[in-house]
Amino acid sequence: MREMKTKRMAVDAMLAAMCAVLGYLAIDLGNLKITFESVPILVGALLFGPVDGAAVGFVGTLLYQLLRYGVSATTLLWIAPYVLCGFLVGLYAQRRQFRLTQGQVIFIVVANELLITALNTGVLYVDSKIYGYYSPAFIFGSLAIRFAICIGKALAYSFALPPLLRSVRMREA
């Protein structure tokens, strides 16, 4: 039992580190950010459940935020979407005993990415108001492009995650 808990914590730590690195390697184009930092969060949530998904999201994005931007008044706001989504995806997987069909994976991953994009847009709005760079064109002008990128990433994740999860589960057994 103790060995299993230690192994799970080690996997969570590796996933959080991957999240931080993937967030740091993001492509930033003004208010457009192309990143794959949610993949390790999704993996942790789909493998272990809501607590692990939220923990990977919190630790991974906290490390990324600290390394890239330092501490600010909105640091926790930028972390919150990933924590919430890791929790919700993990809860969904747990309720289905971690046996998800391809359609369920597509649903939860697309919903997750849409929620992250919507929440990040809200955080961008709050951040812009606090730090004085608000402009409707800056915040909402690229929203269609941001959601298009979001859907593209979500579909790619939806087809890449099931074989990855099967492979990891086979190694656990």
Side-chain angles (χ1 to χ4, degrees), residues 23-131:
Y24 198 80
L25 295 175
I27 299 168
D28 284 318
L29 306 166
N31 63 346
L32 289 176
K33 179 181 170 191
I34 302 172
T35 178
F36 302 104
E37 70 190 289
S38 62
V39 171
I41 299 167
L42 290 167
V43 170
L46 291 169
L47 283 176
F48 303 125
V51 174
D52 295 77
V56 170
F58 178 78
V59 173
T61 53
L62 175 66
L63 289 171
Y64 156 69
Q65 286 290 321
L66 293 176
L67 289 170
R68 187 119 186 209
Y69 303 108
V71 178
S72 74
T74 58
T75 298
L76 289 178
L77 290 177
W78 287 108
I79 295 168
Y82 295 96
V83 174
L84 178 63
C85 289
F87 182 81
L88 292 175
V89 169
L91 193 61
Y92 182 83
Q94 187 177 58
R95 294 254 168 131
R96 282 154 182 76
Q97 286 88 36
F98 301 97
R99 288 186 227 114
L100 298 157
T101 66
Q102 181 79 26
Q104 289 171 325
V105 171
I106 291 170
F107 165 74
I108 195 61
V109 171
V110 170
N112 174 70
E113 290 301 312
L114 287 170
L115 184 58
I116 286 175
T117 300
L119 292 172
N120 277 339
T121 300
V123 174
L124 183 61
Y125 173 81
V126 170
D127 192 81
S128 71
K129 287 293 200 173
I130 289 173
Y131 291 107

